[in-house]
Structures are given as structure tokens and as C-alpha cells.
Amino acid sequence: MKKSKHKIINDPVYGFISIDNDLVFDLIQHPIFQRLRRIRQLGVAEFVYPGAIHTRFQHALGAMYLMRRVLESFRGKGIEISDREFVSAQIAILLHDIGHGPFSHTLEETLLHHVKHESISYQLMRKLNTDFDGRLDMALEMFRNAYARKFFHQLVSSQLDIDRLDYLRRDCFFTGVMEGSIGVDRIISMLTVHEDQVVVEEKGIYSIEHFLNARRLMYWQVYLHKTSVSAERLMVNIIRRAQYLSQSGNDLPCSNALKTFLVHNHNIEDFTFNTSVLDSYSQLDDHDVWGAIKMWKDSDDPIISELCKMLLERNLFQIQIGGAIKGNLEKVRQAVAAQYKTLRNDTSYFFSYGTLTNEAYVVEGQPIKVLMRNGKVLDIAQASDLPNITAISKIVKKDYLCWPKNVSLS
């Protein structure tokens, strides 16, 4: 007797999610997608919010569920969507994050050499398309904006896409930061298609205003929370040191998948033309990194050993946001050298600095369009009667500097 592929998944955010398409079921069962179970959605945010241990796997399923609801709503409004388009759009959003590496965005800049996770998602989707005999052709076109009906790509990637609708709702749920709560049901019901563009009906303006403000608040309270940033920079410095040691001939204990990206700085060409690199990446997840960190704390190298102990014991960097960052930078460098007896070149592993950027809404990007009752289409910043939407569209940047708590600048 053939086993049924029609399943129901109980999601804590939306309730029951039905899987009633054989291709979708088989994609979810594939090892490349199952790997997302082992990648945290919010990286190291659990150091601040203990409940933030949800995964990219959950997010992908939730996004697929919301895509289905949007498409059903469109059909109800008379927008013609074929059965193949209906399934392909769900697949495009289901697979949109399969290129994420360990801890999602946290190590993207470190393990990869100027390679965005979206580019790796595309390469993994191509690999899956080969495995499934070309049945993902349309989903791939939608993902890379090559499909004739452009509104499908907007649903996958834009400033009001399905990805953002799910991660704001889901991250709010698991962190408990209620300021990030958004009216997903209301937003979905207010979306429609006008001249091949996803637009918001005028009566949905207030829901979009709340969506943008919730996104801004979630950035400051969760994604750019000072303790999250501190933990991220500590983990980044651990990987930087591991790469330096590995590329200097030291054989650090770790999985083969992780070793591939410590010993070599792979670029997008490697992912495109070297199947072994893509295969190694498709086996890499959070557990590789945590397992390595637990071993590296006993390393003969005092720098990586100390950094790993700090992270494992949650002895995170202290952090300064704003103020005289440049003025304190040299003080930190000298104080670190004195505290840890390191050479000047090695002090950089014990501190970090940079800029935090909050882009709640970028007018110059692909704008959120509102279909007014008179038939005009306006940018949300023009359609809204609240001045804070214009304020939200301004990119806010704040410099930061972090260093060990046992290092005093006085």
C-alpha cells in the first residue's frame, strides 16, 4: 500500500499547516531542506531571549503557508493563477532560505567570501531542480525574477513580502517582544495585484503603517539588540581566529564540512562550478560550530581557547553604542594587549567595531504601493497621513564598539 504524502503539521504560530502536494512533500523531506531544522532563525538571539530557539525550517514552512493564503485570496479577487503557478510560488518561498549557513546571518560575512545566502539558495535550488527532473523550473524563475508575471517575485522578495510577514510574526512570538506583533490576516486580505504589481488596497494603509513600525522596533529590540550584537561579534571573532589558525597549518578539530570553510575562502564561482563545495555547505549547520567551539576551548592556542570559554560561559563583550567610538578604539586595543599579553595584530580578536543599520523602509528600493479608491497608485509614504512613515524611511546608523568586560579603559 502506497504511503500517503498528504500531511498536517501543527505550527505554534498558525495552527495546522496542510501539505497536500507530492512535490512539496518530497522537497520538505529532502536532506537539503531538513538541514534547516538545525539552523537557528535568529542566530545567537537566545542569549537575550531564551525562547528564540526557533529554526529556519519552521520559518520556511510558515512562509509557504502564508504564500498559499495570499494566492487563495488573490484567486478570490478574480486574479487568475494557474495550478502550476500556485504550487511553484509556494516552492519558491519554501526554498528561499535554504542557502543560510550556521546561525543564519551571524556568520555569513565570515564563513563565506563575499557570497550572499540568496546566491547559495539559488545554487541549491538548481541542484534540487536536477534531482526532481526540472519540476522546479517555474519556481526558480520566480525566485530570480525571471518569470513573466513579476508580482510572484514581489511576494518572494520585496519590502512587503511573505518572508517578512512570517519572520516578524514568528520572531515576535518566540522572543515575546509584543511590539513586533503585526496583523498578518488583515495585511493578506488587503493585498491585491494591479498592473502586475502587488499593491495594498487603500483601506489597508493603517495595517502597513503598523507593519513598518513593528519592523523598526523589532530591529532595535531583537535583531540589533546590543547583547545580540555582542554575542555575534564574539562568535565571528572565534571563526576568524579558527580560519587564521587553519590557514596557517594548524589542524583544528571540527567536522569535515566546517573544515572546508576554515581552510579555504570560497567564492561564488566555487559554489557554482565545484559540486564538492556546495555538497559540503549543504551539510553545514549550527551543530558543527557549537561542537567545534566546545573542542576549541581546550586548544593550545590561548586566544581561541579564551574566546570559546567566554561564549560558552556567556561572558560576552561589553558594548558601547554611539559616542566617541573612534576615540576609544586605540584605548581598547592597548588595554586588550596589556590584559591578554597579545601582539598588536592579535588584539583584534578581543574586540570589534562597526555600524548598526536600521532600514525599516527604503523609499529608493522597491516601494510599497497603495491602490487608492480613485485608482491612483501611491507610495505608502505618500498615501499615509502619518509623518512617522516618512521618518521610518530614513536609514538610521549607529556606530558600536565592544570588548571584554575584564578590560578597563580607565
Side-chain angles (χ1 to χ4, degrees):
M1 181 177 177
K2 186 178 180 181
K3 187 177 179 181
S4 172
K5 293 185 178 181
H6 293 190
K7 301 293 182 182
I8 295 177
I9 297 172
N10 194 349
D11 179 71
V13 178
Y14 306 121
F16 294 119
I17 297 176
S18 296
I19 310 298
D20 54 11
N21 179 275
D22 287 0
L23 176 57
V24 170
F25 177 89
D26 289 338
L27 285 168
I28 291 172
Q29 287 295 99
H30 197 283
I32 287 178
F33 187 80
Q34 288 290 317
R35 163 184 166 272
L36 296 183
R37 289 182 182 272
R38 303 185 298 279
I39 295 180
R40 292 281 168 86
Q41 170 80 6
L42 291 182
V44 290
E46 65 175 294
F47 279 96
V48 186
Y49 301 103
I53 56 176
H54 53 303
T55 66
R56 288 281 159 182
F57 182 87
Q58 293 164 290
H59 165 56
L61 290 178
M64 182 191 69
Y65 167 78
L66 293 185
M67 176 67 84
R68 178 170 185 152
R69 286 188 53 193
V70 169
L71 298 179
E72 288 173 342
S73 176
F74 283 178
R75 281 178 165 177
K77 294 178 181 182
I79 300 165
E80 187 175 329
I81 296 173
S82 70
D83 289 344
R84 189 183 177 197
E85 289 173 329
F86 188 80
V87 173
S88 295
Q90 290 180 71
I91 291 173
I93 197 69
L94 177 73
L95 303 179
H96 78 285
D97 269 349
I98 56 171
H100 265 299
F103 301 97
S104 295
H105 295 283
T106 301
L107 297 178
E108 188 167 343
E109 65 186 70
T110 311
L111 282 177
L112 306 179
H113 190 61
H114 303 300
V115 182
K116 297 295 184 182
H117 74 270
E118 293 90 348
S119 299
I120 303 177
S121 289
Y122 177 65
Q123 296 304 326
L124 288 172
M125 287 173 72
R126 288 182 60 199
K127 176 179 173 60
L128 287 171
N129 195 32
T130 299
D131 292 347
F132 286 90
D133 301 319
R135 296 164 69 192
L136 275 60
D137 283 344
M138 186 179 288
L140 275 164
E141 289 180 357
M142 291 176 177
F143 180 81
R144 61 188 178 93
N145 201 20
Y147 189 60
R149 305 182 76 186
K150 299 300 182 181
F151 76 86
F152 282 108
H153 178 74
Q154 282 182 275
L155 292 174
V156 175
S157 179
S158 68
Q159 293 195 84
L160 184 60
D161 56 27
I162 306 301
D163 175 40
R164 294 185 185 192
L165 289 181
D166 181 78
Y167 78 61
L168 283 176
R169 180 71 184 86
R170 190 168 298 277
D171 296 348
C172 165
F173 178 89
F174 281 99
T175 60
V177 177
M178 299 316 296
E179 290 86 349
S181 179
I182 59 172
V184 171
D185 294 341
R186 174 72 174 172
I187 292 174
I188 287 176
S189 68
M190 292 297 104
L191 295 180
T192 189
V193 178
H194 177 75
E195 295 181 350
D196 200 30
Q197 288 189 86
V198 175
V199 296
V200 181
E201 296 172 4
E202 183 179 354
K203 56 187 176 180
I205 286 178
Y206 299 128
S207 296
I208 304 305
E209 288 174 349
H210 180 72
F211 162 80
L212 293 175
N213 196 49
R215 188 165 185 265
R216 180 181 70 87
L217 291 173
M218 284 293 284
Y219 263 85
W220 289 133
Q221 290 190 240
V222 178
Y223 311 133
L224 299 179
H225 188 287
K226 64 178 184 178
T227 306
S228 290
V229 174
S230 170
E232 284 180 4
R233 302 324 298 175
L234 180 52
M235 181 169 278
V236 164
N237 284 0
I238 289 172
I239 297 300
R240 283 180 52 234
R241 184 63 178 178
Q243 288 175 322
Y244 169 78
L245 294 172
S246 297
Q247 293 172 18
S248 299
N250 292 273
D251 188 20
L252 289 178
C254 64
S255 68
N256 291 332
L258 180 56
K259 184 168 293 187
T260 296
F261 295 94
L262 296 180
V263 175
H264 305 286
N265 295 322
H266 291 293
N267 55 33
I268 188 59
E269 284 75 20
D270 296 327
F271 283 95
T272 306
F273 302 110
N274 190 336
T275 56
S276 65
V277 172
L278 195 62
D279 288 343
S280 293
Y281 189 85
S282 66
Q283 299 174 42
L284 191 60
D285 56 51
D286 293 9
H287 298 287
D288 294 85
V289 177
W290 275 127
I293 287 174
K294 289 174 69 177
M295 290 187 284
W296 296 342
K297 71 178 176 58
D298 300 318
S299 171
D300 293 335
D301 178 74
I303 294 177
I304 199 168
S305 174
E306 179 65 20
L307 292 173
C308 290
K309 289 175 184 176
M310 289 172 64
L311 187 62
L312 289 168
E313 297 169 8
R314 201 187 179 277
N315 179 22
L316 307 177
F317 290 149
Q318 59 185 315
I319 185 167
Q320 172 191 348
I321 298 178
I325 300 296
K326 291 184 179 179
N328 284 333
L329 191 55
E330 187 57 33
K331 291 182 182 179
V332 168
R333 193 186 301 274
Q334 292 177 5
V336 164
Q339 176 69 34
Y340 292 100
K341 307 295 188 293
T342 61
L343 298 174
R344 181 177 176 84
N345 287 342
D346 290 336
T347 57
S348 66
Y349 295 109
F350 286 99
F351 69 91
S352 183
Y353 64 95
T355 303
L356 307 178
T357 303
N358 191 338
E359 301 177 353
Y361 179 60
V362 183
V363 176
E364 291 77 16
Q366 189 176 55
I368 297 174
K369 296 290 190 179
V370 179
L371 179 62
M372 308 300 287
R373 290 185 179 90
N374 61 11
K376 289 185 178 180
V377 177
L378 301 178
D379 186 292
I380 182 65
Q382 297 173 304
S384 172
D385 58 5
L386 291 180
N388 70 326
I389 296 300
T390 302
I392 286 175
S393 67
K394 294 179 181 178
I395 298 174
V396 179
K397 295 184 178 183
K398 297 180 181 181
D399 294 332
Y400 71 87
L401 172 63
C402 51
W403 66 96
K405 293 175 182 176
N406 64 341
V407 174
S408 174
L409 302 188
S410 59

